[in-house]
């Protein structure tokens, strides 16, 4: 007996629309099974702040794939979600909801980039905090890498080396002077880059406000004090 199984792929993108986050999830459903999935939902993850992630079930969107060929169908879902108050980076991770209400994470099926999540880019806040170490790529001169402060709720580890000249341009100071120091990294995630390409476009690097790892405070604070953490 031949067995077949469906596959659900997709990628999320997010934009800021006034006081809302507009998240679009688009992808392909391969070898679909009638009635297998009923909707698409999002998980919201805060970056650099120690709070639990949120499953945004109240904003579920119907799963309505449109056939594109004999074995695949394309789908698109758009979510309008009120923006949280804290000006930090958030991720939106898509899930398919099955008929039995179980959740299946949706990944991108790009050959070089499996990440399906969207990462907020409309706030001036770091998406990573980590320690600067020497890199592994030495063929074109010295390079540096940033190892994320994962224990302090900074889950983004930059799995690529940054050439010395580029690092200095991002940081505004020589990279060698930051070796062993904790820095904040600003920028946006890339989508489906070439093999070996950076997974994030870095716009700038700054010394961490307190010079050490640590999360953004989770207790209630006023906007002024939160923004001061990123200056």
């Amino acid at each position: 007996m031949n067995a077949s199984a469906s596959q659900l792929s997709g990628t999320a993108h997010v934009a800021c629309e006034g006081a809302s986050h507009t998240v679009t999830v688009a992808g392909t459903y391969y070898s679909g099974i009638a009635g297998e999935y009923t909707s698409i939902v999002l998980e919201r993850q805060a970056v650099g702040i120690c709070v639990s992630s949120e499953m945004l079930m109240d904003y579920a969107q119907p799963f309505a794939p449109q056939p594109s060929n004999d074995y695949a169908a394309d789908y698109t879902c758009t979510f309008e979600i009120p923006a949280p108050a804290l000006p930090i980076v958030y991720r939106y991770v898509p899930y398919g909801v099955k008929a039995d209400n179980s959740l299946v994470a949706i990944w991108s099926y790009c050959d070089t980039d499996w990440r399906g999540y969207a990462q907020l880019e409309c706030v001036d806040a770091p998406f990573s905090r980590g320690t600067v170490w020497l890199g592994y790529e030495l063929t074109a001169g010295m390079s540096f890498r940033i190892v994320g402060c994962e224990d302090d709720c900074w889950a983004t580890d930059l799995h690529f080396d940054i050439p010395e000249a580029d690092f200095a341009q991002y940081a505004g100071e020589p990279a060698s002077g930051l070796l062993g120091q904790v820095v904040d990294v600003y920028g946006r995630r890339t989508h489906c880059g070439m093999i070996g390409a950076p997974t994030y476009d870095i716009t700038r690097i700054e010394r961490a406000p307190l010079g050490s790892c640590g999360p953004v405070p989770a207790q209630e604070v006023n906007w002024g004090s939160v923004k001061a953490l990123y200056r």
Side-chain angles (χ1 to χ4, degrees):
M1 178 181 294
N2 293 327
S4 62
S6 69
Q7 293 179 317
L8 183 62
S9 72
T11 306
H13 295 265
V14 60
C16 297
E17 304 287 345
S20 298
H21 293 164
T22 300
V23 183
T24 301
V25 181
T28 303
Y29 184 36
Y30 303 93
S31 302
I33 300 172
E36 182 181 18
Y37 290 95
T38 61
S39 59
I40 304 293
V41 297
L42 298 172
E43 177 187 26
R44 181 163 57 197
Q45 302 171 346
V47 176
I49 183 169
C50 294
V51 296
S52 299
S53 61
E54 306 170 84
M55 291 302 302
L56 305 176
M57 305 300 293
D58 291 346
Y59 297 92
Q61 294 296 310
F63 180 63
Q66 301 298 314
S68 57
N69 54 49
D70 290 341
Y71 62 89
D74 297 328
Y75 70 94
T76 300
C77 299
T78 300
F79 304 77
E80 295 288 341
I81 301 171
L86 286 176
I88 62 175
V89 172
Y90 288 91
R91 286 180 176 176
Y92 288 95
V93 184
Y95 287 81
V97 182
K98 288 198 165 187
D100 62 1
N101 290 322
S102 61
L103 300 177
V104 176
I106 298 175
W107 307 98
S108 171
Y109 277 3
C110 172
D111 289 341
T112 61
D113 189 354
W114 51 265
R115 298 169 298 163
Y117 64 80
Q119 185 161 291
L120 199 65
E121 301 172 359
C122 54
V123 292
D124 188 32
F127 71 86
S128 182
R129 176 174 291 171
T131 305
V132 179
W133 299 107
L134 285 175
Y136 299 113
E137 297 289 339
L138 300 176
T139 56
M142 188 171 291
S143 63
F144 296 80
R145 58 192 172 98
I146 299 172
V147 179
C149 299
E150 186 172 353
D151 291 343
D152 294 300
C153 308
W154 296 91
T156 304
D157 203 354
L158 304 184
H159 298 287
F160 58 90
D161 285 358
I162 305 171
E164 182 176 18
D166 291 345
F167 201 113
Q169 181 178 357
Y170 300 142
E173 60 179 296
S176 57
L178 291 170
L179 193 63
Q181 302 298 308
V182 179
V183 297
D184 282 349
V185 187
Y186 296 74
R188 60 191 65 85
R189 63 151 291 189
T190 59
H191 290 271
C192 200
M194 300 294 290
I195 295 176
T199 49
Y200 292 88
D201 286 329
I202 297 174
T203 55
R204 75 179 190 275
I205 295 173
E206 296 180 351
R207 293 175 181 264
L210 301 180
S212 62
C213 285
V216 175
Q219 68 269 24
E220 292 187 8
V221 291
N222 63 53
W223 275 62
S225 61
V226 171
K227 290 180 179 179
L229 292 171
Y230 301 113
R231 294 176 180 171

